[in-house]
Structure formats: C-alpha cells, structure tokens
Amino acid sequence: MDKSIKVAVIGAGTMGTGIAQLAAQAGHAVKLFDACADAVPKALGGLEKTFGKLVEKGKLTTDAARTILGRLVPSADLKDLAGSDLVIEAIVEDLPVKKKLFADLEALLPKDALLATNTSSLSVTAIAGACARPERVIGLHFFNPAPLLPLVEVVPGIVTDASVAADSMELMRTWGKTPVICKDTPGFIVNRVARPFYGEAIRIYEEGLADMVTIDHAMKSIGGFKMGPFELMDLIGNDINFAVTKSVFEAFFFDPRYRPSITQQRQVESGRLGRKSGRGYFDYAEGAVAASPSADQELLRDILSRILVMLINEAVEALHLGIASRDDLDLAMTKGVNYPKGLLKWADEKGLDLCLATLDGLQAEYGEDRYRPSPLLRRMVRERRTFY
Ligand code: NAI
C-alpha cells in the first residue's frame, strides 16, 4: 500500500479530523464524510487554522500547507466514497450504528477495499459481523491527538486476513506511526494494562493511606511518570475515564480486577469532571492553592511499589493470554501513554520474585481476587526466568 491508495475517513469529530490530517500529510487523497452536515466544513476550517499556525511557526511552507489541504475533499454523501481503497471509521461509539455503517460501506466499496474502525471499546469482530467479507475489516486504534501521538494499536478481528493486518502495519509505518498488533479483547493493550494506574491509586486514597497530591508525587518523583494518576484523570476527564473503566469491567464479565470505584463515580455525579469543568480531584480555579505532598520517603516508595506491581501484573497477564508480544506490550505503554519504561522491562529490573511477593502479600492481606498474580509471573519466578 502506497501514497496512491485512496483514503476515506468517516466521522469528522476529534479523532476523524486528526486521522484525515495524518493521511493527507502522508500524501493520500482523503475524502471526509460525516452524518452531520456542519461537521466536515468545521473540521476542514479547523485544519486550515492548524496548518496556518504551522506555517507561522516556520514548520511548513505555505505551498506545502496548501498541497496537504488540497488533498482533503469534503463528501456530502456516503456514496461519494465508492472507489476508496481504505476507509477509516471514527463515528459515535455505538455498536448497532457502526455495524449498519460497515454493511452500507461494503455494498459501495471495491471487494478488496480495507475497512478500518477506530473504536476504543467495541469488538472489531462484532463490527465485522455485519459484513459479508469480515476478513477485510480491522481495528486501527489511534490515540488522541492522532497527528501527534505515535502509537496505533492494529487489531485484527478473529477472521481478519493475515495480509490485511500486515498491510495495515506497513501503512501505519509509512504514516510515521509506531504500530503494535494486539488481539481483539476489551481495552486492547493500553486501555487494559493502564487500568491499575488509576484504580489502585484511587484505592490507596480510599483506604486513607495517602492523599491525592502525595500519590501523584510518588508516581512522578520516584516512578518517573510524567503525570500522577489524579492529575491525569483530571486531564482526560473523569467522565471519560470512568466510562472506559466501566466498559472494560463489563466486557470482562465483571472480573474484580477491573472494578470501577465509587470515588470516581461521585466525581462524575457531582460534575467534577477535571480540567474541562474547572474542578476534578484538584481545583483549577485561578488562585487555587495546591496542597503539598508528604515527604515521607517510605510512604512514597510503598505507593509506587503497590501501583507498579499491579501494572506489571496486568502486562504479564496480557502476555500470558497472548494479547500482544513482549516488545509490543512495552512499546504500547511507552509510546501510547508515555510510561518511563516498558512494564515487562521494569518487572525484570525490579525483580520478578519481589513483584510476586508483593502481589501475594496484598492478596493475603485483602483476600481479594483483584490482587491475584498472573500464573505466568509465578511460573517465571519458579523457573528463574526474566522477560529480557
Ligand atoms: P466525536 O463525537 O468527536 O466525533 C464523532 C463524529 O461522528 C461526529 O462528528 C458525528 O456527527 C459523526 N457521526 C456519528 N454517527 C455517524 C454516522 N452514522 N455516520 C457518519 N458520521 C457519524 O467522537 P470522537 O471522540 O472523535 O470518537 C470517534 C471514535 O473514535 C469513537 O469510536 C471513539 O471510541 C474512538 N476513539 C476516541 C478517542 C478519543 O480520545 N476521543 C481515542 C481513540 C478512539
């Protein structure tokens, strides 16, 4: 697949606009369609401004900006997309609506066209179920903002052709992205493996072991994370983070490891959504005074250790279940959510025996399945193996 393939993007919201920009920057002719008549002109207007700023900053010449913008073609009718080689869907996150769109698209497109979905929480296999040729359907899960964040999770459904997955990986590389391949399971890699970053942090807070500022401080100052869990939840939006947590929990048939917290639900119910509402776990009003974190080094180390072993356990379990390879799991967390280190590499450095002992200790203390160690972790300790 090269620059000559014709791309179409459906849904001109946050993600679709970013994906259309990327495809145009990579040299493709891109059609953009949205069910809402205002959305495409608004998206293209926004992109003109984005490129105007890049020209102002000297990052792009006026000619180059004009060429890229010229590749973007608004479409007022789904039928205009006939003849596209690759269609990327980024519409509302609703299974029946996506299925109907995929069935309609398949009737329009050439038989060998590739149909991709940017869904973050639905099953690619379920969406492909609406198609007569599900082997041509794949998940291409970009991260927001799509033009800037390098990671793309490439998600074949259970009947997707191996060649479709290989072509998608190759195409994402030509777009300058870092693609990883993962199984069609809830949360894919990042949204699954990252759950304890939030969940265990909230749990530590709920138990009164530390306040939010201190928990964030531990993760940043000792862990090397760019942001702490609470400030990151405030940035993502507590409503969005809570929705992802609930959806992963339900999709795993209520596995206690992914159980959402009442603390987060209360935040959402009270409208404390984070930065966007001016207040979340922290206050973003002008003049608001931030509390100081505890300087108790032992407490900070305990906080980091507890959250980190939970993250490591999640990554090990994902490897155990064949969700992704060792390298892709580590790449996903460093490129998708900026973790300072891959979790499996971190596990080796920390010592697998220590990770296992910490989890066993937590499980014995709480008696909760939430802390059950992955069988792979136990086996590796028994066999004295490491991931790298
Ligand atoms: P958005 O709400 O910003 O945009 C969705 C657009 O789709 C709207 O313009 C809407 O008019 C249009 N639309 C709805 N139904 C349609 C239909 N049947 N046909 C054509 N257009 C239709 O949503 P956003 O945030 O861009 O998300 C889109 C998809 O990307 C969802 O599946 C979401 O789960 C996924 N996603 C979102 C991320 C995010 O951070 N916002 C990150 C990664 C994936």
Side-chain angles (χ1 to χ4, degrees):
M1 289 205 282
D2 55 28
K3 285 180 186 169
S4 66
I5 73 158
K6 295 192 273 312
V7 176
V9 176
I10 306 186
T14 310
M15 294 306 293
T17 307
I19 296 167
Q21 177 188 337
L22 253 175
Q25 281 172 335
H28 300 277
V30 185
K31 287 185 176 161
L32 186 56
F33 171 76
D34 197 289
C36 165
D38 302 342
V40 173
K42 200 174 145 209
L44 293 179
L47 286 178
E48 262 177 50
K49 277 197 196 129
T50 303
F51 282 104
K53 279 190 200 139
L54 290 175
V55 170
E56 260 173 44
K57 287 186 191 156
K59 296 203 168 149
L60 210 63
T61 64
T62 313
D63 275 357
R66 203 174 297 136
T67 306
I68 296 170
L69 283 167
R71 294 187 188 124
L72 291 155
V73 180
S75 298
D77 191 329
L78 195 67
K79 291 198 180 75
D80 292 348
L81 310 188
S84 303
D85 303 301
L86 164 66
V87 178
I88 304 177
E89 165 276 313
I91 66 165
V92 61
E93 188 76 337
D94 179 310
L95 183 59
V97 179
K98 287 201 200 274
K99 280 175 101 164
K100 165 143 194 345
L101 176 68
F102 272 68
D104 291 349
L105 273 174
E106 199 179 38
L108 275 180
L109 294 171
K111 280 206 160 38
D112 57 352
L114 219 142
L115 274 77
T117 171
N118 183 47
T119 183
S120 39
S121 63
L122 300 171
S123 148
V124 175
T125 307
I127 296 169
C131 295
R133 295 184 297 279
E135 61 278 6
R136 304 294 305 166
V137 178
I138 194 147
L140 289 180
H141 185 224
F142 292 84
F143 288 75
N144 186 17
L148 298 182
L149 285 183
L151 188 71
V152 180
E153 292 175 333
V154 175
V155 189
I158 53 172
V159 295
T160 304
D161 265 354
S163 66
V164 168
D167 288 351
S168 302
M169 292 289 285
E170 191 47 42
L171 184 71
M172 289 304 103
R173 287 197 188 97
T174 69
W175 289 14
K177 293 289 164 189
T178 305
V180 292
I181 200 139
C182 68
K183 263 194 193 161
D184 182 18
T185 46
F188 307 136
I189 300 177
V190 169
N191 279 338
R192 170 195 193 130
V193 174
R195 293 314 342 128
F197 189 68
Y198 315 107
E200 203 55 24
I202 296 175
R203 183 64 186 262
I204 291 170
Y205 161 76
E206 283 175 343
E207 288 183 20
L209 299 175
D211 58 27
M212 296 170 190
V213 179
T214 300
I215 296 169
D216 276 5
H217 180 63
M219 299 310 282
K220 290 188 288 185
S221 66
I222 312 186
F225 288 85
K226 292 224 169 64
M227 292 181 87
F230 292 99
E231 52 181 348
L232 185 54
M233 284 187 278
D234 273 357
L235 180 70
I236 294 169
N238 289 309
D239 50 342
I240 296 199
N241 193 281
F242 185 52
V244 174
T245 307
K246 274 201 303 187
S247 119
V248 170
F249 180 56
E250 283 159 21
F252 276 116
F253 306 113
F254 308 102
D255 184 332
R257 205 146 74 189
Y258 304 106
R259 180 174 292 140
S261 81
I262 290 174
T263 297
Q264 195 170 32
Q265 184 174 31
R266 291 286 178 271
Q267 288 286 313
V268 178
E269 285 169 346
S270 66
R272 294 180 172 220
L273 305 183
R275 281 179 182 272
K276 63 184 172 189
S277 68
R279 175 145 205 167
Y281 291 111
F282 301 119
D283 189 352
Y284 299 94
E286 237 187 274
V289 183
S292 301
S294 162
D296 178 345
Q297 293 302 307
E298 185 54 38
L299 174 64
L300 297 181
R301 271 195 297 276
D302 281 358
I303 293 167
L304 170 67
S305 164
R306 181 159 158 183
I307 298 175
L308 184 58
V309 293
M310 289 293 277
L311 286 166
I312 286 172
N313 195 41
E314 217 37 72
V316 177
E317 182 69 357
L319 183 66
H320 176 57
L321 297 175
I323 307 305
S325 69
R326 174 199 72 181
D327 290 352
D328 278 0
L329 280 164
D330 276 1
L331 208 53
M333 302 316 284
T334 50
K335 298 287 181 184
V337 271
N338 262 321
Y339 280 18
K341 240 178 267 178
L343 290 167
L344 298 173
K345 183 159 188 288
W346 213 336
D348 278 356
E349 285 177 18
K350 198 172 160 60
L352 301 193
D353 47 353
L354 184 60
C355 295
L356 179 62
T358 308
L359 286 162
D360 275 339
L362 286 164
Q363 199 183 22
E365 174 127 352
Y366 290 97
E368 283 182 59
D369 211 27
R370 170 189 183 89
Y371 298 106
R372 70 181 188 268
S374 168
L376 178 60
L377 182 61
R378 202 175 286 290
R379 193 185 316 146
M380 295 205 35
V381 170
R382 197 167 52 231
E383 296 171 0
R384 296 175 192 279
R385 284 159 56 204
T386 49
F387 291 108
Y388 286 86

